């Protein structure tokens, strides 16, 4: 035991001597979190409400103004329609233009829609957007406009039915331009789960780059391993009869501590720093902390186990400089760190499930977004711990084999 403690002390001193390397391990993932969360903020929360737009309406009826009034309540007032509004769209000065034909109000009436039946006619409402608009943003605008049109038709139908039943005053009120009806949505959307946390760029990027940062200890472990081997430290330990498992454990435990510091720092950045930079805050209220700690410990074990294995495999600093970044980037690219898994095609999603980084990321998302408890994250934690055990055993076999070869 005293031998192991002495080896751990040696490892800690070596870590503290390289303060620049330690700072890189802690600050590099923090920078990724800040940059990627701010860069992808509008991907998770498209800024539909602040887009400059104009209206080209040829309709003088009663329902078109109701439609446009309701749209303005959600998206702000329309700008004045430029004379050459097509050029304004091309240059991005306007993000979109809503065009209403002269018969829009007439065709919004339920009776007119029923009379046409299956007749194919051009839509009375067109949404013209600037060329570079993101597909997700375009789909959001189209969905909102379609939903608003349907809502106007449904409310108009209800008023018509009331009028037919004898309440003629209701029809007159509904057809006045200023009457927009109830603003109560026809469909309420609620996320499942007790936390009701809205996915944001911060909720995605903090867990993702936390996992990446914890696996990044491979560079520090392999670098220090090669330095000690080239300086004869390994040979001296072997001559003193220090067992292989003690050497490996002395390297595992300090880097588990480094991973713990990384996790604490990155979660703190998500909770407190990101809101100061204008992004959403990482929501930790109501989560199962025992499940979070289990996932973090499992990720750390897997990361350090892989780091030890890679350190035993590489023979030169050039190899370490090439292998470590390649392994890290490939696992991150495949595992949903750099590109969220939900935007991948199906075959890439299946491939992502083979990456240990994906196991860690899915475990963290289960806790942070799905209110998962220990039972819910156990499948991910067990895979990570199994991976950690396999890599440690392989590293131990490689170290013993090299010691026998050099004996």
């Amino acid at each position: 035991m005293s031998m192991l403690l002495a080896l751990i002390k040696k490892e800690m001193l070596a870590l503290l001597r390289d303060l620049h390397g330690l700072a890189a391990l802690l600050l590099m993932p923090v920078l990724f979190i800040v940059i990627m969360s701010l860069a992808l903020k509008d991907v998770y929360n498209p800024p539909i409400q602040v887009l400059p737009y104009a209206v080209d309406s040829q309709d003088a009826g009663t329902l078109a103004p109701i439609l446009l009034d309701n749209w303005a309540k959600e998206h702000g007032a329309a700008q004045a329609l430029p004379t050459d509004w097509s050029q304004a769209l091309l240059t991005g000065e306007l993000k979109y233009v809503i065009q209403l034909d002269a018969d829009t109000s007439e065709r919004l009436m339920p009776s007119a829609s029923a009379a046409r039946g299956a007749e194919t006619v051009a839509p009375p409402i067109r949404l013209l957007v600037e060329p570079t608009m993101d597909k997700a943003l375009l789909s959001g605008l189209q969905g909102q406009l379609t939903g608003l049109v349907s809502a106007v038709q449904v409310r108009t139908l209800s008023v018509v039915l009331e009028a037919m039943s004898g309440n003629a005053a209701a029809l007159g009120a509904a057809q006045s331009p200023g009457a927009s009806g109830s603003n109560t949505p026809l469909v309420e959307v609620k996320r499942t789960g007790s936390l009701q946390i809205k996915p944001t760029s911060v909720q995605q990027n903090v867990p993702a780059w936390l996992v990446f940062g914890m696996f990044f200890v491979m560079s520090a472990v392999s670098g220090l391993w090669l330095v000690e081997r080239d300086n004869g430290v390994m040979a001296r330990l072997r001559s003193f009869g220090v067992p292989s498992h003690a050497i490996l454990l002395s390297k595992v435990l300090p880097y588990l501590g480094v991973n713990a510091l990384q996790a604490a720092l990155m979660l703190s950045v998500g909770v407190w720093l990101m809101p100061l930079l204008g992004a959403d805050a990482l929501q930790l209220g109501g989560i199962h902390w025992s499940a979070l700690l289990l996932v973090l410990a499992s990720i750390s074990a897997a990361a350090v186990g892989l780091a030890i294995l890679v350190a035993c495999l590489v023979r030169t600093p050039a190899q370490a400089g090439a292998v470590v970044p390649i392994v890290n980037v490939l696992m991150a690219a495949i595992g949903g760190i750099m590109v969220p898994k939900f935007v991948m095609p199906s075959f890439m999603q299946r491939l992502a499930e083979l990456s240990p980084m994906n196991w860690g990321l899915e475990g963290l998302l289960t806790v942070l977004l799905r209110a998962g408890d220990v039972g819910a994250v156990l499948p991910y934690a067990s895979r990570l711990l199994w991976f950690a055990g396999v890599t440690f055993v392989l590293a131990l076999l490689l170290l013993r084999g090299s010691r026998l070869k050099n004996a």
Side-chain angles (χ1 to χ4, degrees):
M1 188 65 180
S2 58
M3 179 186 297
L4 179 60
L5 292 176
L7 290 171
I8 292 174
K9 180 180 178 181
K10 171 190 73 69
E11 202 70 24
M12 294 296 297
L13 289 174
L15 266 173
L16 294 175
R17 285 194 202 103
D18 186 14
L19 291 178
H20 292 92
L22 185 59
L25 286 177
L26 296 175
L27 297 180
M28 181 274 300
V30 169
L31 290 176
F32 272 121
I33 288 173
V34 172
I35 294 170
M36 298 304 294
S37 295
L38 294 176
L40 298 175
K41 178 182 177 183
D42 290 343
V43 173
Y44 290 83
N45 301 294
I48 292 177
Q49 296 184 355
V50 296
L51 297 178
Y53 75 98
V55 174
D56 179 20
S57 178
Q58 308 299 322
D59 189 283
T62 57
L63 293 185
I66 294 175
L67 176 69
L68 295 175
D69 285 347
N70 280 280
W71 184 263
K73 289 177 181 178
E74 294 293 331
H75 300 268
Q79 296 186 5
L81 185 70
T83 305
D84 190 6
W85 56 264
S86 297
Q87 184 62 30
L89 280 177
L90 284 175
T91 60
E93 180 184 347
L94 289 176
K95 294 300 182 182
Y96 62 94
V97 171
I98 301 175
Q99 267 192 331
L100 303 180
D101 288 346
D103 61 344
T104 299
S105 291
E106 177 188 347
R107 291 176 60 180
L108 285 178
M109 291 294 292
S111 57
S113 301
R116 282 185 175 83
E119 180 185 350
T120 303
V121 291
I125 304 172
R126 283 174 292 280
L127 182 64
L128 307 175
V129 303
E130 56 105 357
T132 62
M133 180 173 288
D134 178 75
K135 184 178 179 181
L137 186 56
L138 174 58
S139 298
L141 287 170
Q142 182 183 14
Q144 287 195 10
L145 186 56
T146 302
L148 186 56
V149 168
S150 299
V152 170
Q153 287 182 311
V154 169
R155 289 165 187 153
T156 303
L157 178 60
S158 66
V159 174
V160 169
L161 292 176
E162 287 182 21
M164 292 174 62
S165 64
N167 189 3
L171 182 59
Q175 290 182 339
S176 62
S180 58
S182 170
N183 286 322
T184 303
L186 298 176
V187 179
E188 181 184 12
V189 179
K190 293 187 69 175
R191 300 184 185 276
T192 57
S194 58
L195 296 183
Q196 290 291 306
I197 295 176
K198 180 182 179 181
T200 64
S201 61
V202 173
Q203 295 289 135
Q204 169 70 28
N205 282 292
V206 170
W209 295 108
L210 189 157
V211 173
F212 181 83
M214 292 174 82
F215 273 87
F216 202 73
V217 296
M218 275 193 289
S219 61
V221 174
S222 58
L224 185 56
W225 183 280
L226 291 173
V227 168
E228 290 186 344
R229 192 195 64 189
D230 295 340
N231 289 342
V233 175
M234 291 295 185
R236 288 195 294 273
L237 291 176
R238 184 169 61 248
S239 67
F240 292 152
V242 179
S244 299
H245 69 271
I247 295 176
L248 293 185
L249 282 175
S250 70
K251 295 187 175 297
V252 167
L253 297 177
Y255 283 98
L256 291 178
V258 171
N259 280 162
L261 284 176
Q262 287 178 312
L265 178 61
M266 286 183 272
L267 291 175
S268 300
V269 166
V271 172
W272 289 297
L273 178 61
M274 294 313 300
L276 297 178
L277 298 177
D280 299 287
L282 179 68
Q283 301 295 323
L284 296 180
I287 67 170
H288 294 271
W289 286 94
S290 55
L292 179 62
L293 293 175
L294 174 60
V295 174
L296 290 174
S298 303
I299 296 170
S300 181
V304 175
L306 181 61
I308 295 294
L309 176 60
V310 171
C312 290
L313 286 172
V314 295
R315 292 289 176 264
T316 65
Q319 287 182 357
V323 171
V324 170
I326 289 174
V327 172
N328 258 326
V329 170
L330 281 179
M331 287 198 306
I334 294 172
I337 305 297
M338 297 180 174
V339 179
K341 183 180 172 184
F342 62 81
V343 304
M344 295 180 179
S346 57
F347 77 95
M348 284 298 297
Q349 291 187 19
R350 291 193 294 270
L351 184 61
E353 294 172 359
L354 301 177
S355 171
M357 285 194 185
N358 182 255
W359 305 339
L361 177 58
E362 288 297 322
L364 289 175
L365 293 178
T366 298
V367 175
L368 298 177
L369 290 179
R370 306 182 186 111
D373 56 10
V374 172
V377 301
L378 200 55
Y380 305 110
S382 59
R383 287 182 221 169
L384 289 164
L385 292 173
W386 172 84
F387 179 81
V390 169
T391 53
F392 186 86
V393 170
L394 290 175
L396 184 60
L397 294 175
L398 286 171
L399 182 58
R400 285 177 176 173
S402 64
R403 296 181 75 169
L404 288 175
K405 188 184 299 184
N406 297 326

